[in-house]
Amino acid sequence: MAARSPITCHVLDSSCGRPGRNVPVKLELLNAAANNTWSGLATGLTDSDGRVSSLLDPSHQLVAGIYRMTFQTAEYWASVGVSSYFHPYVQIIFEVAAGAEKQHYHIPLLLSPFSYTTYRGS
């Protein structure tokens, strides 16, 4: 298998059954030593399949901690002509546990104008 980013994501627009294309994504790490501020790690844009597969360099070593992935959903809804929606952005906060830093973390976002869900993908 080819090397890949240790954290990837996928946006699916469940209101129409298509990938969420061109959704801006930001990945951050909680820095407990700096008054619990968020440190930016990477930004990306979902591709035509709704994925960001190269968010981090494949050689990036994850550290144990709390991560936050922000999806700028207002920009997506505007791009597909939806003017009425509830969540202008979605933040998914997840933990990389000590001892699990070498695992791959895939964050799917199933999105519709008035709801969303997520799970740990593979």
Side-chain angles (χ1 to χ4, degrees):
M1 177 176 12
R4 63 181 171 182
S5 171
I7 298 176
T8 57
C9 65
H10 190 187
V11 178
L12 296 165
D13 183 340
S14 59
S15 68
C16 65
R18 290 192 296 259
R21 297 180 175 116
N22 300 315
V23 178
V25 178
K26 179 167 69 170
L27 179 65
E28 300 165 289
L29 175 63
L30 185 63
N31 186 341
N35 294 327
N36 288 325
T37 58
W38 293 97
S39 300
L41 294 179
T43 59
L45 192 67
T46 58
D47 62 17
S48 62
D49 195 34
R51 298 176 184 273
V52 180
S53 300
S54 58
L55 199 54
L56 297 168
D57 187 270
S59 65
H60 183 91
Q61 296 294 308
L62 296 179
V63 297
I66 306 295
Y67 291 76
R68 176 170 70 183
M69 187 172 287
T70 302
F71 298 86
Q72 296 297 332
T73 54
E75 292 182 36
Y76 171 71
W77 293 125
S79 75
V80 296
V82 173
S83 60
S84 181
Y85 52 84
F86 191 62
H87 304 283
Y89 61 90
V90 172
Q91 292 184 320
I92 299 171
I93 299 173
F94 61 98
E95 183 172 13
V96 172
E101 301 92 343
K102 295 196 181 302
Q103 294 183 22
H104 176 251
Y105 293 84
H106 183 64
I107 314 299
L109 174 64
L110 288 83
L111 185 63
S112 69
F114 298 99
S115 68
Y116 68 89
T117 190
T118 188
Y119 56 94
R120 180 170 178 194
S122 57

